[in-house]
Amino acid sequence: MPRLPLSDHDYLAKLQDYYARHQVFPSYAAIGKIVGLKSTSSVSAFLERLKADGYLEAKDRRLRPGARFFERPLVASRVAAGLPAMAFEAPAE
């Protein structure tokens, strides 16, 4: 299955937030304004990538959430962690 580019995850988060507030998808022009894309062709390409990855479905030319639409990544990058350090009690005075 294809993987979305990082910028698409940012756009998807904005679209998820819009859908959560309004329970409907906006027009292509409004999606462009929401996510910051200027041309209808770039919005269309973005939405096609979402459909290919299962985030969106189209029925009767209307968008609706796909099986993965409500997924949210927990973190965008790795978290560096080491071995736990022992805790020492402060000397009693």
Side-chain angles (χ1 to χ4, degrees), residues 42-88:
S42 60
V43 172
S44 181
F46 162 63
L47 294 176
E48 287 303 317
R49 290 190 299 272
L50 292 183
K51 289 178 198 173
D53 278 359
Y55 291 100
L56 290 179
E57 295 176 358
K59 184 174 182 180
D60 300 326
R61 296 183 51 169
R62 298 195 62 141
L63 294 175
R64 63 185 219 187
R68 298 182 64 199
F69 183 73
F70 299 101
E71 289 181 7
R72 295 276 186 151
L74 296 178
V75 292
S77 62
R78 292 182 160 192
V79 176
L83 297 173
M86 292 191 59
F88 296 100

Side-chain angles (χ1 to χ4, degrees), residues 14 28 35 37 52 56 72 86:
K14 291 177 182 180
Y28 276 42
V35 301
L37 297 172
L56 290 179
R72 295 276 186 151
M86 292 191 59

Side-chain angles (χ1 to χ4, degrees), residues 4-17 34-35 46 72-73 76:
L4 291 176
L6 288 178
S7 61
D8 280 0
H9 286 286
D10 294 336
Y11 299 158
L12 175 60
K14 291 177 182 180
L15 195 56
Q16 289 168 324
D17 292 342
I34 291 167
V35 301
F46 162 63
R72 295 276 186 151

